Amino acid sequence: MAQTLPNLKDLDPPGLRERLAASGVAPYRAEQILAWLYARGVEDLHAMTDLALDLRERLAGQWQTRALETVALQRSVDGTRKAVLRAADGAVIESVLIPDEDRTTLCLSTQVGCPLACSFCATGALGFTRNLTTAEIVDQVCRMREVLAPEERITNVVFMGMGEPLLNLPALLRAIRILMHPRAFDLAGRRITVSTAGLVPQIRPLLEAAPVNLAVSLHATTDELRDELVPLNRHFPLAALLGELRSLEAISPRRPVFFEYTL
């Protein structure tokens, strides 16, 4: 069986520069590759014409650049589009484009399934298979961009799809660095929101590493009810969760925390 090549999209900008430098390639080439892959949406390494031909040949022999394929696309009457995307190992995830008057928000998944088993969540009922790679996270943006109308563009990203993002923090942070890089997707941190069910130990590392918005999936104001709805609360009850949020310097009136509440 042929060995599968590693995916270039698993490398965030610092990682890409480091990998190129280690192989004798000028680190500035990383900016060109980022622009081709993400800003221009070109995944054929041979087509990256401002790279030297021998470098294109070498990269094409060492890397792949596509992590997901679109299996199905559904469109609602309000313009919302949900895609079923398949990874190389056959794992299936969903991504959702949500239009509004002045924005188009993309909802991204970070895991195949979810281990938290929140009572109201269909993903939790599936159980947990694995974390997504960085390439599989950012490739959702690439695939969903392909279904946009010419006048549309993705203006906001929310990590509120399948999975608990903070259980996949290293890949999440690499994906955020790609989303924010000016030669890649060039999204401002205020346009990226990460939702958590309340994984308290990982909240501070997220906010210290990435200037993004935080949303907490709350759904109850008592531990008794939240234990039932969000079983993670048994490990990190409301006092611990809210206490941590109050202590975070990164949260302020200019950068508030958002609470999600199912009615």
Side-chain angles (χ1 to χ4, degrees), residues 28 30-40 50 178 180-186:
Y28 78 87
E31 313 297 314
Q32 296 171 298
I33 295 170
L34 289 168
W36 282 106
L37 280 178
Y38 303 117
R40 300 176 183 174
D50 56 359
I178 294 169
M180 294 184 63
H181 195 277
R183 297 298 298 274
F185 294 110
D186 196 23

Side-chain angles (χ1 to χ4, degrees), residues 153-213:
R153 67 183 185 90
I154 295 168
T155 61
N156 295 71
V157 166
V158 293
F159 289 93
M160 298 181 184
M162 298 172 68
E164 163 56 58
L166 298 191
L167 286 174
N168 192 11
L169 187 59
L172 172 69
L173 289 175
R174 286 191 292 270
I176 289 172
R177 285 191 281 270
I178 294 169
L179 289 171
M180 294 184 63
H181 195 277
R183 297 298 298 274
F185 294 110
D186 196 23
L187 284 176
R190 69 180 183 278
R191 294 189 175 274
I192 301 171
T193 299
V194 176
S195 174
T196 177
L199 196 66
V200 171
Q202 299 291 64
I203 293 175
R204 185 179 295 271
L206 167 72
L207 296 183
E208 288 180 346
V212 297
N213 299 318

Side-chain angles (χ1 to χ4, degrees), residues 15 50-51 80 89 97 108 138 143 173 204 215 227 243 248 252:
D50 56 359
L51 302 180
T80 298
D89 65 355
L97 276 170
L108 297 178
V138 297
R143 299 288 74 79
L173 289 175
R204 185 179 295 271
D227 284 351
L248 291 170
S252 69

Side-chain angles (χ1 to χ4, degrees), residues 84-100:
V84 178
L85 305 170
R86 185 169 55 222
D89 65 355
V92 173
I93 60 171
E94 292 181 345
S95 296
V96 182
L97 276 170
I98 306 165
D100 204 344

Side-chain angles (χ1 to χ4, degrees), residues 4-258:
T4 302
L5 295 175
N7 199 301
L8 203 57
K9 290 176 181 172
D10 277 323
L11 301 176
D12 62 7
L16 181 55
R17 287 191 290 270
E18 182 179 334
R19 187 67 62 90
L20 290 175
S23 61
V25 179
Y28 78 87
R29 294 292 189 188
E31 313 297 314
Q32 296 171 298
I33 295 170
L34 289 168
W36 282 106
L37 280 178
Y38 303 117
R40 300 176 183 174
V42 174
E43 295 173 327
D44 180 0
L45 290 161
H46 292 100
M48 298 181 180
T49 51
D50 56 359
L51 302 180
L53 181 59
D54 63 332
L55 177 57
R56 282 180 268 164
E57 294 288 346
R58 193 196 325 172
L59 290 173
Q62 295 173 340
W63 299 94
Q64 59 177 319
T65 58
R66 198 174 175 99
L68 299 172
E69 299 297 336
T70 304
V71 177
L73 182 68
Q74 297 175 316
R75 187 182 184 107
S76 174
V77 292
D78 66 357
T80 298
R81 283 150 288 183
K82 180 173 74 173
V84 178
L85 305 170
R86 185 169 55 222
D89 65 355
V92 173
I93 60 171
E94 292 181 345
S95 296
V96 182
L97 276 170
I98 306 165
D100 204 344
E101 290 183 1
D102 60 347
R103 69 182 65 188
T104 298
T105 300
L106 176 57
C107 182
L108 297 178
S109 296
T110 53
Q111 296 181 308
V112 182
C114 182
L116 298 188
C118 297
S119 64
F120 50 84
C121 180
T123 301
L126 297 174
F128 173 71
T129 301
R130 64 172 176 86
N131 284 329
L132 295 183
T133 65
T134 300
E136 290 166 340
I137 295 173
V138 297
D139 221 30
Q140 293 173 69
V141 188
C142 299
R143 299 288 74 79
M144 297 305 284
R145 187 170 55 183
E146 293 172 346
V147 309
L148 294 174
E151 69 277 8
E152 290 181 296
R153 67 183 185 90
I154 295 168
T155 61
N156 295 71
V157 166
V158 293
F159 289 93
M160 298 181 184
M162 298 172 68
E164 163 56 58
L166 298 191
L167 286 174
N168 192 11
L169 187 59
L172 172 69
L173 289 175
R174 286 191 292 270
I176 289 172
R177 285 191 281 270
I178 294 169
L179 289 171
M180 294 184 63
H181 195 277
R183 297 298 298 274
F185 294 110
D186 196 23
L187 284 176
R190 69 180 183 278
R191 294 189 175 274
I192 301 171
T193 299
V194 176
S195 174
T196 177
L199 196 66
V200 171
Q202 299 291 64
I203 293 175
R204 185 179 295 271
L206 167 72
L207 296 183
E208 288 180 346
V212 297
N213 299 318
L214 177 71
V216 175
S217 190
L218 192 66
H219 308 296
T221 57
T222 66
D223 283 325
E224 181 182 12
L225 180 55
R226 198 163 190 269
D227 284 351
E228 179 183 343
L229 298 178
V230 185
L232 183 66
N233 194 71
R234 300 166 193 165
H235 300 280
F236 305 109
L238 287 169
L241 173 60
L242 298 178
E244 177 68 2
L245 295 176
R246 291 188 182 104
S247 75
L248 291 170
E249 300 83 359
I251 294 176
S252 69
R254 293 178 59 85
R255 190 183 175 191
V257 60
F258 299 92

